[in-house]
Amino acid sequence: MADNRKEQERDELHRTIWGIANDLRGSVDGWDFKQYVLGMLFYRYISENFANYINDGEREAGDATFDYAQLSDSDAEQARDDLIKTKGFFILPSQLFCSVRSRAPLDENLNETLEAVFQAIEDSAKGSDSEANFSGLFDDIDVNSNKLGGTVAERNKRLVKLMNGVGDMKLGDYRDNTIDAFGDAYEYLMGMYASNAGKSGGEYFTPQEVSELLTRIAVAGKTEVNKVYDPACGSGSLLLKAAKILGPGNIRQGFYGQEINITTYNLCRINMFLHDIDYDKFDIAHGDTLISPQHWDDEPFEAIVSNPPYSIRWEGSDNATLINDPRFSPAGVLAPKSKADLAFIMHSLSWLATDGTAAIVCFPGVMYRGGAEKQIRKYLIDNNFIDCIIQLPDNLFYGTTIATCIMVLKKSKRDNHTLFLDASKQCVKITNSNKLTQDNIQTILTAYLDRADKPHFAALVPNDKIAGQDYNLSVSTYVEQEDTREVIDIQQLNAEIAQIVAREQQLREELDKIIKEIESE
C-alpha cells in the first residue's frame, strides 16, 4: 500500500509540474522555465519550513491556534535575531509565499514585490554564519525578464500563473509525505530538461540509478561516515543520494562540494535546502576545484562521489605551481592540458580519508591512453590505490552515448590486487537510452563486495600483472567477453552438406528424366 501511495503522490506531483510547463510553454524555454519553477518551489519551501518551525514551537508552548502567517510584521521582527541563529534566515509574515500569493492577482507590481522579498531573504543572512549559503540564491529567477513577457502586465500575469501552479502542488506537510516531495519535484524538473539543447546534461545531472550505484559503493560496509564530498558537485544529486542511503543524521559532519558553474552552484544550494539539509550541515563552494579548491580545511573525506566533466581543458603544465601542489605532485606528472580527467582522480585521492572510499565516473580513454596519463595510472597501481574498475553500459547518461567507467579508490586495501567488473550488459533499454535497474545495481554491488573471479564478469588481477600489461586499466583487457556465437560441429555440417549435394544430384537426374520424356512426346 505504501508503494502505491508513493507512486500516486509522485504521479500527481509530476502531472502538476507538467501542467505548469504547458501553461508557460512558448514564453520561456525549457531550461529557463526550470529555473523559474525551482526558484518558486524553493521560495514556497523555505516559507513553509520557516513558518512551520515557529508554529510548532508556539503550539508546543500551549498556543494551539498560533499561525505565523497571521502575525504582524512588527511583532515578528522581535524574534529576527534568534531565528537567524537557529534557521539561518528570516522571513516576515507578509513576505511568506502564501501571503504574497494571496495578494498576487491584484498586485500590479508583483515583479517588484517578489524581487524585494527575494532580496530580503538573502539580506537576512548577511553577517551571520549562513551568509555564504544564502548569497545569490535567487539570482537565476529574473522576475523582470522579457522571457516572461514584453510588458510588466504580461510578466506579472505569468508570475501569478507560476505562483498558483507551485502553490497548488500537493506537497502537504513535507514531513508526512511518503516521498520527498520537494526533492522529487526538483529531480523531475532536472530530468525533464537534462538533455536540453546547448546545456549538456552530464554537466548538470547524473541519473539517479548511477548516483545510487556510485554512492552505495562509496559507503559499502558503513552505517555512517564523517563527511561526503563531491569535487564537481553539479546540482548535488550525488551528495544527496548519500543522505538518502545512510540517512542525513548518519553523515555526521555534513555535505561538501564545489561547482564551477554559477547557475548550477545556486541550484545545488537550493537542492540542499529542498532536501531539508540545514545551512550548518552543508558547505558548497563556487570555483574551479582543480586550480582553486575551497575545502583545504575540511579534508580528508570518508566518502567521495563524483561524475566530473569528461576530458575538459585545464591549466595543467601552463601553471608552474601545480606540479608542486600536494594533490598532484606525488605522481610526478600532471594530467594533460586537454584532458583533466586524471587531475580530478588525483585531487580526490589526495583528499580521501585513510579508511575512506572514492567512486568516480571516468571517460574510458583515461584507462588506456599513453603519455602522462599512463604515468599517473602507474603511480596509482604501484601504490595500490585502485580498488576496482567497473565498465558501465553505454547510453546511460543524458547528452552522451559513451560507455563510461567507474574508478574506485582506496588508501587502505586488504590485498595487492585490482578488481575489474564488466557491467556493460547490466541494464535495460528504455526508448533510446539504457537504464540500471535495482537488480543491476545489486548484481554489480554484490560482485564488488565479493571481490572474486567470475567468468565473463569479474576478474581479481594482481597489480604486477597490470604492470605487465603496460598499466592498461581497460576492463576488456582482463575480463574475457562471453562468446555467444553458436557452436558449430564441422563434421556434422560436412555430412549435412554431402546429403544436400547428393539430394541435389538426385533431383537433377529426375528433372532430366522428365524433360526427356516431354521431348520424346
Side-chain angles (χ1 to χ4, degrees):
M1 280 299 290
D3 280 348
N4 285 342
R5 185 182 160 205
K6 188 174 187 176
E7 287 312 310
Q8 284 170 356
E9 285 181 4
R10 185 171 279 130
D11 287 347
E12 187 169 354
L13 186 62
H14 293 176
R15 276 197 302 274
T16 308
I17 294 171
W18 196 250
I20 304 171
N22 284 333
D23 267 353
L24 292 181
R25 197 178 299 280
S27 58
V28 183
D29 78 27
W31 194 253
D32 290 316
F33 160 76
K34 177 186 59 58
Q35 310 283 60
Y36 283 107
V37 178
L38 283 174
M40 203 60 78
L41 188 69
F42 175 59
Y43 174 35
R44 175 183 165 184
Y45 171 79
I46 61 169
S47 293
E48 291 181 10
N49 178 288
F50 188 80
N52 286 345
Y53 175 80
I54 299 166
N55 290 344
D56 289 349
E58 292 295 325
R59 289 166 190 173
E60 281 175 20
D63 189 345
T65 60
F66 184 86
D67 183 359
Y68 181 72
Q70 302 303 317
L71 205 63
S72 71
D73 284 356
S74 56
D75 285 346
E77 276 288 357
Q78 297 169 32
R80 177 183 285 267
D81 291 344
D82 286 342
L83 284 163
I84 289 172
K85 282 176 188 169
T86 53
K87 296 298 291 178
F89 65 101
F90 183 78
I91 306 179
L92 288 167
S94 67
Q95 296 171 334
L96 292 170
F97 176 89
C98 61
S99 303
V100 175
R101 182 192 177 192
S102 68
R103 301 190 302 266
L106 300 175
D107 186 349
E108 293 180 357
N109 301 305
L110 179 60
N111 57 329
E112 292 177 12
T113 300
L114 286 169
E115 190 172 39
V117 169
F118 295 161
Q119 193 59 55
I121 294 170
E122 286 185 27
D123 288 347
S124 72
K126 282 186 176 170
S128 72
D129 292 341
S130 61
E131 180 174 354
N133 288 335
F134 281 88
S135 177
L137 265 186
F138 290 98
D139 281 359
D140 289 309
I141 313 153
D142 183 0
V143 292
N144 297 303
S145 171
N146 286 333
K147 292 173 181 175
L148 286 172
T151 66
V152 170
E154 286 175 2
R155 290 198 279 274
N156 286 343
K157 186 178 176 183
R158 290 203 172 95
L159 287 170
V160 170
K161 275 188 174 183
L162 183 60
M163 291 198 81
N164 286 336
V166 169
D168 287 341
M169 284 187 194
K170 289 184 170 56
L171 301 173
D173 183 334
Y174 65 93
R175 292 161 298 189
D176 295 335
N177 289 326
T178 58
I179 59 169
D180 166 14
F182 281 101
D184 193 82
Y186 174 91
E187 288 172 356
Y188 179 65
L189 278 159
M190 292 299 285
M192 274 172 73
Y193 295 109
S195 54
N196 182 273
K199 296 285 197 295
S200 159
E203 182 183 347
Y204 296 102
F205 191 71
T206 304
Q208 288 193 45
E209 298 78 22
V210 180
S211 296
E212 181 168 344
L213 175 60
L214 276 178
T215 310
R216 286 197 181 280
I217 288 170
V219 301
K222 296 181 177 179
T223 55
E224 60 175 23
V225 295
N226 68 340
K227 309 166 197 170
V228 60
Y229 171 66
D230 184 346
C233 62
S235 59
S237 63
L238 282 167
L239 294 173
L240 289 161
K241 191 60 77 173
K244 200 168 276 189
I245 289 169
L246 289 179
N250 293 318
I251 298 166
R252 296 187 303 274
Q253 294 170 52
F255 305 81
Y256 295 78
Q258 187 161 341
E259 173 55 38
I260 196 168
N261 179 290
I262 186 71
T263 296
T264 322
Y265 159 69
N266 286 334
L267 289 178
C268 185
R269 292 184 298 157
I270 286 175
N271 208 2
M272 293 290 141
F273 286 116
L274 289 181
H275 284 80
D276 217 17
I277 309 290
D278 287 336
Y279 78 90
D280 56 349
K281 279 292 185 182
F282 70 86
D283 185 340
I284 308 300
H286 177 235
D288 186 333
T289 303
L290 299 179
I291 305 303
S292 182
Q294 298 298 302
H295 293 106
W296 284 108
D297 296 335
D298 304 300
E299 57 96 6
F301 301 101
E302 203 176 329
I304 297 178
V305 283
S306 194
N307 177 20
Y310 308 140
S311 299
I312 58 163
R313 297 190 66 83
W314 75 308
E315 291 182 14
S317 57
D318 286 346
N319 185 330
T321 64
L322 288 176
I323 193 59
N324 297 314
D325 188 306
R327 297 171 297 156
F328 308 123
S329 59
V333 68
L334 295 170
K337 287 183 288 185
S338 61
K339 301 175 183 72
D341 308 69
L342 288 181
F344 282 104
I345 294 290
M346 290 297 294
H347 167 83
S348 299
L349 177 67
S350 176
W351 284 15
L352 183 62
T354 307
D355 61 343
T357 304
I360 300 165
V361 179
C362 295
F363 187 81
V366 304
M367 301 297 171
Y368 57 79
R369 289 188 297 239
E373 290 181 312
K374 175 185 160 185
Q375 202 168 328
I376 294 171
R377 291 197 305 272
K378 180 180 189 302
Y379 165 75
L380 295 171
I381 289 295
D382 287 352
N383 289 279
N384 200 27
F385 290 137
I386 299 182
D387 189 45
C388 181
I389 304 288
I390 302 170
Q391 176 66 58
L392 293 174
D394 61 8
N395 219 12
L396 277 184
F397 291 83
Y398 299 104
T400 180
T401 58
I402 291 166
T404 54
C405 307
I406 296 173
M407 184 182 288
V408 185
L409 301 169
K410 280 189 177 180
K411 286 183 173 175
S412 303
K413 286 168 60 182
R414 62 177 186 259
D415 59 35
N416 207 33
H417 294 61
T418 300
L419 179 67
F420 291 87
L421 296 178
D422 183 358
S424 58
K425 303 290 190 295
Q426 291 293 319
C427 63
V428 294
K429 189 169 183 62
I430 296 181
T431 58
N432 294 323
S433 60
N434 290 323
K435 183 176 179 178
L436 297 173
T437 66
Q438 284 301 311
D439 285 346
N440 296 145
I441 292 169
Q442 193 54 55
T443 298
I444 297 167
L445 192 61
T446 299
Y448 169 71
L449 294 171
D450 286 349
R451 205 166 175 77
D453 290 338
K454 187 175 180 184
H456 313 301
F457 185 54
L460 188 61
V461 182
N463 288 340
D464 55 5
K465 183 178 176 182
I466 297 171
Q469 291 285 350
D470 214 22
Y471 297 97
N472 186 325
L473 296 180
S474 297
V475 171
S476 59
T477 305
Y478 307 99
V479 180
E480 186 182 357
Q481 286 273 325
E482 186 173 6
D483 189 347
T484 56
R485 292 174 301 179
E486 185 182 352
V487 177
I488 296 171
D489 184 328
I490 296 297
Q491 287 183 328
Q492 183 184 346
L493 181 63
N494 285 337
E496 288 174 359
I497 291 171
Q499 284 179 338
I500 291 168
V501 169
R503 177 65 178 149
E504 189 180 44
Q505 184 60 35
Q506 184 184 352
L507 288 170
R508 272 207 188 98
E509 289 172 357
E510 289 176 1
L511 189 61
D512 286 345
K513 189 177 176 183
I514 292 167
I515 290 169
K516 281 179 183 176
E517 287 176 358
I518 292 170
E519 286 176 342
S520 65
E521 291 176 2

